[in-house]
Amino acid sequence: MRRSLVVLSSLLSAATAACLIGAPTSASTVSEPAARHAPAPDYGTVLNILPPGADGNVDAQTLASLGPGQAGGDPTSLLSGLANPQAFFTTATPTNPPHFADQLEQYDALNATDPAGLTDAKLPLYFKDARLGVDPDDVVRTETPRPGVTIRWDKDGVPHITGKTDADLAYGAGVANIETRMFLTDVLRHTGAATMAQFVGPTDADIAQDAAQLAVAPYRPAQLERQISNLVKRSPEAARLVHALDAYIAGMNAEQDTLCPASTASVPLPGALGMGYGEHCPVEYAALQRPPAPYTRADIVSIASLVGGIFGTGGGGQYTNAIWLQQLQEKYGDAAGRRMYDDLREKNDPEAPVTSPVRAPYGGSGGVRPGLPGVALPDLHPKAQQLGTGAIVNPDGSLSEPPPGAAGNQGNASTTDPKPTPAHQHLMQTYGVDPAAEAHQIHGSLERAMEGELVGMSNALIVDAAHSAGHHPTAVFGPQTGYYAPQLLMEEELHGPHTRARGVAFAGTNFVVEIGRGVDYAWSATSPYTDITDTVVQRLCNVDGSRPTVDSTGYVSRGKCRPMVNYEHTETGLPSLAAQGSPQQVSFLVLRTDHGIVRLRTTLDGKPVAIVRQRSTYMHEADSVLGFIHLDDPSRVRDAQSFMKAASGIQYTFNWFYVDDRDIAYYSSARLPKRAPGTDLDLPRWGSPRYDWRGYEPFAAHPHVVNPAQGYLANWNNKLAPGFSSSSQIWGDGPVYRALTLIDRVKALLKAGKPVRRSDLVGAMIDSATVDLRGAYVLPYVLKVLGTPDDPQDAAAVRAMRAWVAGGAHRVDRDRAGGYDHQAAIDVFDTWWNPDDIGASCSPDCGFALPKDALRHGLGAYVDALPEPLDDHPRERIGSAFNGISWYGYLNKDLRATLGLPVRGDYSRSYCGTLAQCRTALRASLHRAVQAALDTQGVSSVADLTYDKSLDDIVSVSGGVVGVRRIDWQNRPTFQQVVQFTGHR
């Protein structure tokens, strides 16, 4: 600890010798409020929670008080325990640093409570008060960073920001962002700009992340600035908003200068590249040897493009679909192949749980139609292919794939993360922190999302006035953005001329409240993955008229050969303590046509073509801010209809949920393309005027409903509405989706006939949060097919799994005794479902997996080629689990048909075979699974099998020098609101 302070002190001395700058502690801060600011009249009760806590910056003094290298029982070096991101340099306590991890304790405590025993009076134990305004006695400190701006920080560390003008309010929001999320925001802006390799060093993880971001949003700074310039021209309101954005940026930069006054581009230290230091400067900058740079408009749009590209997009699966369809047709013939594709696609499965009961046709009905004139099917077996945007440009001009990078997940670090080189060990020993490794953990989890993996466990559960206590609607809802320390979202209250709201926004975009509550209403969002991205095929050419190949960088548009936008995105990775050595230059290829970003170059009927990704929100990321700002404006939102109108201004794909004292409502936002006749949502189309989009769908075409007759709204990223086709990359909208756990519980509450209380909905949510979806909705039919096996241990396994199902198929330790109930059943079932994932001793050659063995009769060897993941397991340690996995629905529907049970939308064939065939296959598969489970644990009886619940623990990704403790698995939103309004303006 002392050594860390000595080294940091020497860095400060070097900096002050170079620039003679002092280090003020904060901007015009006093310990007591300069003026009283009592809570506003409230119209009901809003509670919320945002783990781990409101604050996130850690300076050298705070790090020293915790003791670097004290990681709360986990390995002290991140580098010696890369399989566990919680193995950090130091771990926060509930009280130190202040407000860093205090809400994590409340959040986790709910999972240790009996859901049936919850009462409204107990809710403040698990959620904090989220009223507008702040009681004078709860104000801890007040600051006035400039005239017209007041920030009051409450006892939970939440800033309540008041601005005389819109610009004043935004300035204060910028100050608060840097005070709580300075280094995290820096990581996000570099990730959005695809410059992580330059920021922390050109490791495989950084290079892979930058390549992934370029494939989504390859913007140059001028293009980002142009989005803001275009926004100004839309209306006087938009011009006012941009003026506020500039003030927001000014606030961020002013606070950076206050916290890190000794920042400089170069200091007289050997090999130094610059630094940032000050009494309250986040310690990462000194350790990383990177000075904090001023923010620009382009930086904010970069962050917005990153967030929108992960949580607010969908579609683009047409190329993968085309390959899979052709594989099936090659094996089974055109007609049978199409039928099998339609079975497994479940584009409009009548059994899929939906959010709105109101039909909203979109995307076509019926099966896949590869013969339409606008469909363009790339060759299944091309003789040549070439890479597209995101490829590495080698010194000789050749192209290569980017490294695998951070292909793991939040809970399991990538094998390509920085290895424990002497430079990294020096960072840990000297500073107690490796900021480069921290950044890798953050953007590694983001990379998965940008490469198409479904993210989010956002959910919403709302009951209407007729069924709620007091005849006022009740809601429990929230978004999930992963578990980070500090959280990607930051909480705030904003009060200005056009704003009165409290809630959360992503770091670096918090000049608006994106999700939260207004004066007498509240709202939330989930990700629907709506199809706003198409795969477009364009013929390649050479502008000189020569014969084109897959290497060509010209494309045919309206009968003419035009050059692609073709440049190299180049970064220079400079040496630092995190990445020593000579400077390294990395160049990525960027190719773009008039339709979008070139993903790949291949052939169609033997002729070279470009595979292009066209996204409706490309170059329009900034436009959605107008919709967000309207959500915060009490003059704009007065009821459900005006809320939906405001939400329709948001072009990202989100499900929006609303509640006030009278109504509940749902609206799905998106810049939703009108597709041309002759095209198929599922398949690539030709890039020509005849098959291009015909504009965008109007408000009425979007799924929406107010006060549905069913009496509730429930969503957990599931299908939007009947007739609204599932997005081209979504194959899991079948009969089993995790929303069923919410729907079944809210239906039971309504059926009981008692008015639903807030605590009833919270209980339903947290009870759903520990359900193994496979165990609850798939395993019962598997067990019916199995019957009673002859082998004694197999029979014991079946009895154990039946008991687990009868108990609700939970994975929970509410009394924190150290283990789950039904451990033997859980271990056998996990082994049976995917032995490679659980690490069975037979892996990787176990020769069984329940999902594949159940469908092998109908799919044969192609069961191994189906381009869908087998599972989304809590062992990923990210909290979110069981999301959008198609295999769950496949087994549920096919086994019900095999058993002769009612099925709607049945398949064209039985994939498991007759009941006798299916039983034989599943019994053989179970026998191998039981033996593998016994062998792995070295026991001879199923009764002796155990399951280590810590394998499921949620492990937060650190965005700074301080981590937080792991918590028991729970499948629920990160930011969550509990709402019931009883009055209205």
Side-chain angles (χ1 to χ4, degrees), residues 521-699:
Y521 61 95
W523 74 97
S524 191
T526 67
S527 296
Y529 319 118
T530 310
D531 211 317
I532 62 170
T533 306
D534 272 4
T535 300
V536 177
V537 176
Q538 296 184 270
R539 294 205 180 276
L540 291 173
C541 60
N542 291 323
V543 292
D544 63 4
S546 60
R547 183 185 181 94
T549 69
V550 292
D551 294 309
S552 297
T553 56
Y555 66 98
V556 178
S557 176
R558 298 178 182 271
K560 295 183 179 180
C561 185
R562 304 178 187 276
M564 294 178 184
V565 173
N566 178 3
Y567 66 92
E568 294 180 16
H569 173 89
T570 300
E571 303 176 66
T572 300
L574 299 173
S576 71
L577 292 180
Q580 293 186 345
S582 301
Q584 180 180 343
Q585 192 171 82
V586 182
S587 293
F588 303 89
L589 179 67
V590 175
L591 295 175
R592 193 174 71 247
T593 72
D594 56 355
H595 281 75
I597 303 161
V598 177
R599 171 184 176 184
L600 176 73
R601 288 167 286 176
T602 185
T603 61
L604 191 155
D605 292 336
K607 297 179 180 179
V609 294
I611 307 299
V612 178
R613 181 170 293 169
Q614 182 178 18
R615 171 167 56 90
S616 68
T617 53
Y618 184 72
M619 279 299 296
H620 291 276
E621 282 88 352
D623 294 355
S624 290
V625 70
L626 286 171
F628 282 111
I629 205 72
H630 290 167
L631 297 181
D632 296 358
D633 188 342
S635 71
R636 292 271 188 174
V637 178
R638 302 190 66 89
D639 53 26
Q641 292 294 335
S642 57
F643 170 80
M644 292 192 297
K645 181 179 179 181
S648 70
I650 297 169
Q651 299 184 358
Y652 295 136
T653 67
F654 285 112
N655 294 313
W656 294 101
F657 298 91
Y658 171 89
V659 62
D660 59 23
D661 73 317
R662 300 169 298 198
D663 299 318
I664 66 175
Y666 160 67
Y667 179 82
S668 179
S669 72
R671 195 168 193 238
L672 201 57
K674 289 183 178 180
R675 291 179 170 86
T679 65
D680 190 305
L681 177 77
D682 271 35
L683 299 173
R685 63 175 172 83
W686 286 110
S688 69
R690 182 179 177 185
Y691 302 116
D692 283 346
W693 294 337
R694 305 296 175 86
Y696 301 93
E697 296 289 353
F699 176 95

Side-chain angles (χ1 to χ4, degrees), residues 27-369:
S28 302
T29 301
V30 293
S31 60
E32 295 296 330
R36 296 296 179 180
H37 182 64
D42 226 333
Y43 292 92
T45 302
V46 180
L47 307 175
N48 74 25
I49 194 74
L50 179 65
D55 208 350
N57 287 356
V58 177
D59 56 30
Q61 183 178 359
T62 303
L63 177 63
S65 71
L66 288 167
Q70 306 303 313
D74 286 312
T76 57
S77 170
L78 173 63
L79 300 170
S80 64
L82 280 176
N84 177 5
Q86 184 62 19
F88 287 146
F89 22 89
T90 194
T91 301
T93 72
T95 58
N96 189 27
H99 310 306
F100 194 96
D102 49 353
Q103 294 185 59
L104 184 68
E105 302 306 314
Q106 285 180 282
Y107 184 89
D108 188 38
L110 181 61
N111 193 40
T113 302
D114 178 9
L118 282 172
T119 64
D120 285 5
K122 292 181 180 179
L123 293 180
L125 297 173
Y126 315 111
F127 301 89
K128 66 183 189 297
D129 189 352
R131 70 184 64 190
L132 293 179
V134 57
D135 191 289
D137 293 334
D138 291 335
V139 177
V140 175
R141 65 184 176 95
T142 299
E143 60 181 304
T144 54
R146 81 176 191 185
V149 182
T150 303
I151 307 176
R152 296 172 177 87
W153 299 84
D154 69 20
K155 59 183 177 60
D156 295 309
V158 176
H160 301 257
I161 306 163
T162 303
K164 185 176 181 180
T165 66
D166 294 321
D168 290 335
L169 183 64
Y171 185 95
V175 169
N177 181 88
I178 295 300
E179 284 199 51
T180 61
R181 299 289 192 277
M182 182 169 169
F183 184 69
L184 174 66
T185 306
D186 223 348
V187 170
L188 293 178
R189 73 160 152 179
H190 283 91
T191 303
T195 56
M196 281 297 292
Q198 189 163 290
F199 184 50
V200 297
T203 65
D204 283 357
D206 300 308
I207 293 170
Q209 169 61 50
D210 291 343
Q213 175 64 2
L214 287 171
V216 174
Y219 292 129
R220 286 172 161 169
Q223 292 176 298
L224 298 169
E225 291 278 358
R226 193 179 310 132
Q227 290 198 43
I228 301 298
S229 300
N230 291 339
L231 185 62
V232 171
K233 302 172 185 177
R234 290 186 56 173
S235 67
E237 180 190 33
R240 171 174 57 79
L241 177 60
V242 171
H243 179 62
L245 172 63
D246 290 337
Y248 173 73
I249 295 167
M252 295 176 75
N253 291 333
E255 188 62 20
Q256 276 201 158
D257 292 342
T258 297
L259 295 182
C260 304
S263 299
T264 176
S266 62
V267 294
L269 295 175
L273 302 169
M275 57 173 285
Y277 192 70
E279 182 180 353
H280 297 291
C281 188
V283 71
E284 292 91 348
Y285 290 102
L288 194 60
Q289 291 183 282
R290 295 289 191 271
Y295 281 86
T296 66
R297 289 176 173 182
D299 291 328
I300 307 306
V301 180
S302 286
I303 295 174
S305 72
L306 173 68
V307 172
I310 293 174
F311 300 103
T313 191
Q318 293 90 356
Y319 177 78
T320 301
N321 294 348
I323 298 303
W324 174 237
L325 171 62
Q326 291 179 91
Q327 287 177 314
L328 290 173
Q329 291 180 310
E330 183 179 62
K331 173 68 175 179
Y332 298 102
D334 286 354
R338 285 199 308 273
R339 288 193 297 268
M340 294 171 72
Y341 176 96
D342 290 336
D343 288 346
L344 301 173
R345 170 71 165 92
E346 297 184 315
K347 181 178 178 179
N348 277 299
D349 191 318
E351 295 184 323
V354 294
T355 304
S356 167
V358 179
R359 185 170 178 81
Y362 181 76
S365 59
V368 67
R369 297 172 294 173

Side-chain angles (χ1 to χ4, degrees), residues 816-887:
R816 301 298 163 93
Y820 294 150
D821 293 336
H822 305 288
Q823 291 186 45
I826 291 171
D827 184 74
V828 168
F829 187 58
D830 280 1
T831 303
W832 192 12
W833 192 273
N834 188 354
D836 294 336
D837 188 43
I838 199 173
S841 58
C842 57
S843 180
D845 301 310
C846 295
F848 68 87
L850 171 59
K852 292 183 177 182
D853 292 341
L855 302 188
R856 197 174 298 278
H857 173 84
L859 275 175
Y862 275 72
V863 76
D864 296 312
L866 180 62
E868 286 292 294
L870 278 182
D871 206 3
D872 180 25
H873 198 279
R875 269 190 306 275
E876 293 193 5
R877 294 181 173 179
I878 62 175
S880 179
F882 308 123
N883 184 26
I885 300 299
S886 58
W887 296 88

